[in-house]
Amino acid sequence: MREQNAYSDLYIEDAMCNMANLVDYVVNDLHRDADAFFQLFDASGIAREFGHGNPKYVSGMSGQELVIETYFVMGLREELPEQVFRAKHTPEHWYGRILAYAQWKTAAEFRDILKYRPCANLVDYYVTYHDKKEDSFVEQLCIEMHQVDTKETNLAFYRRMRAYSQRLLSEKSGVSLRAIQQYEQRQKSINKAAAESVLALSESLGCTPEDLME
């Protein structure tokens, strides 16, 4: 990551607003998977233009227009509904804002941010960060992104393969959310966890207890 912001701060509020509306539109109006959309967004080249501060995209297009442009560039022709006005902001709206801010603040590519903070885990992030300053989210993101030389834990790998959020895995296994977070962040060693906890996690993830050992 570069040590400077991705583009001029003159555009950041527009970028956050438009990305908020984009994620909200994809999830709540199109009823589609946001992570799958961002793969298209990246492949279209628009994500890169947005991330580099091209005024055409960060300021000149609404969230819905960015979605339409992405589909057009990728050759996907279909009639898309109008975006519904919502008097109250959704978690998806919040995530779009924080995603745009994080990308601007770190100058990372969207695909790199979403590798560590995918939309699939939105509920976890919203609960933790929605009432905090944007920089608190970015600080944690930077910690994770700076650990690029550290292989992810086996627990995180199998959870990601099952497309489970940490919260969902906690509900399925009965292991506390905090414990799962600590194992995945290596704050605690799963090798020293209670056998019942490891067994519950492995059964929930469809692997063996040995698969989760480090």
Side-chain angles (χ1 to χ4, degrees):
M1 293 182 293
R2 299 194 297 270
E3 293 185 355
Q4 59 185 18
N5 298 335
Y7 48 87
S8 170
D9 58 5
L10 294 175
Y11 294 111
I12 183 57
E13 186 55 41
D14 283 348
M16 292 171 69
C17 179
N18 291 333
M19 187 58 66
N21 288 327
L22 180 153
V23 179
D24 197 19
Y25 179 65
V26 167
V27 175
N28 295 312
D29 293 306
L30 300 186
H31 306 292
R32 297 183 185 176
D33 181 81
D35 289 307
F37 171 80
F38 274 106
Q39 292 180 3
L40 292 176
F41 192 53
D42 182 62
S44 72
I46 297 174
R48 181 174 178 80
E49 292 294 323
F50 191 106
H52 287 199
N54 185 331
K56 174 182 177 181
Y57 298 107
V58 296
S59 187
M61 288 187 175
S62 68
Q64 180 181 356
E65 288 169 340
L66 286 166
V67 174
I68 293 171
E69 182 75 1
T70 298
Y71 278 32
F72 178 81
V73 171
M74 295 302 293
L76 302 173
R77 306 288 189 265
E78 59 179 292
E79 195 73 25
L80 298 177
E82 288 296 317
Q83 187 161 21
V84 174
F85 171 77
R86 296 176 178 84
K88 185 177 180 180
H89 289 162
T90 64
E92 290 76 22
H93 186 278
W94 169 85
Y95 186 75
R97 283 188 62 85
I98 203 71
L99 177 61
Y101 182 83
Q103 189 280 321
W104 169 78
K105 186 78 173 181
T106 64
E109 300 292 340
F110 280 107
R111 64 173 174 269
D112 293 328
I113 294 174
L114 290 165
K115 175 182 177 181
Y116 296 94
R117 293 283 174 166
C119 301
N121 292 356
L122 170 63
V123 172
D124 292 338
Y125 310 147
Y126 182 76
V127 170
T128 304
Y129 295 106
H130 79 279
D131 58 352
K132 298 180 180 179
K133 296 286 187 180
E134 290 90 348
D135 284 332
S136 63
F137 177 91
V138 175
E139 286 170 6
Q140 181 59 35
L141 173 68
C142 286
I143 291 172
E144 295 174 13
M145 295 183 75
H146 276 96
Q147 293 173 340
V148 292
D149 293 330
T150 303
K151 176 182 175 290
E152 70 179 350
T153 63
N154 292 330
L155 175 61
F157 172 79
Y158 281 99
R159 179 178 62 76
R160 182 167 56 81
M161 290 300 97
R162 295 285 292 181
Y164 287 169
S165 68
Q166 292 176 332
R167 187 175 299 277
L168 180 58
L169 178 57
S170 174
E171 293 172 353
K172 287 181 173 293
S173 67
V175 178
S176 73
L177 174 60
R178 181 58 181 156
I180 291 172
Q181 292 171 336
Q182 289 175 326
Y183 295 147
E184 291 194 0
Q185 295 169 10
R186 292 191 171 93
Q187 295 175 0
K188 287 186 177 180
S189 172
I190 196 169
N191 295 357
K192 298 179 180 179
E196 314 90 85
S197 296
V198 179
L199 180 61
L201 289 168
S202 65
E203 289 178 345
S204 299
L205 294 170
C207 63
T208 68
E210 291 74 19
D211 289 333
L212 300 180
M213 296 294 102
E214 294 295 313

